[in-house]
Amino acid sequence: MPPAPLDPSLTTPIVAVPGLGLSGAVPGRTLDRLSAPSAVVELPGYGLPAPRGTALGSDDLARLLLTRLDELGVTRAVLLGHSASCQIVVRATVRDPHRVAALVLVGPTTDPRARSWPALAGRWLRTTTRERPGQAPRLVRDYRRTGLGAMGRGMDAARRDRIDRGLAQVGCPVLVVRGPHDRIAPQDWVDALAATAPHGRAGTLAAGAHMVPLTHPGELAAGVGTFLGSAVRRS
């Protein structure tokens, strides 16, 4: 069943794509704290199961995301990505720039210095030591729903994507933001991505690691709200 269309509003809607293996409940905690109308789009590997053979490349999923926007009745939106879904929302913007008013990239992957599996695993392990243990039940449920096989295939596709090259083609305002203890998206990587985008800016929250949409939704929403207040023209 297609999603219900968003209600008309005076503000530009925000559409979030969960990170790899995560359900819509994770970005939903942040969206609930923002005043704009919002929706979450789950995609194969990114909240939905992905049977073997499902195309999980960033460009494949970007096309599917644009189709979901059509189903929502959204002609123009702010797209919010988290972790590996940042590649998807950037690709969607490159494919159809007039559909995207602004981009918010939270903890984007993958730094070219950490594209190999050992490097990715090392950054993930260093980050998990700074995450809140209380989020574990949520993650276990989400990972079980998506499937570890789908997550592995999704990460294998995502780690090959050069998000920096896509961002260089994006003309809308871009916020690249991270938690201060996020080793998956270190500060210099976030700064470099923001500098790559013609209208990019970098931000670091006061607390949190990679899972800030879940663990620090209020702080993230405040930063996103401030960015959108200055970056997106309200009608």
Side-chain angles (χ1 to χ4, degrees), residues 112-135:
R113 299 169 299 183
R115 295 179 68 188
S116 70
W117 283 111
L120 281 170
R123 288 194 177 188
W124 181 81
L125 289 171
R126 290 196 298 275
T127 300
T128 57
T129 63
R130 306 303 298 268
E131 296 282 12
R132 289 181 175 175
Q135 69 180 295

Side-chain angles (χ1 to χ4, degrees), residues 170-185:
V170 169
C172 68
V174 178
L175 173 65
V176 190
V177 62
R178 64 185 288 274
H181 304 299
D182 189 347
R183 302 295 180 258
I184 296 170

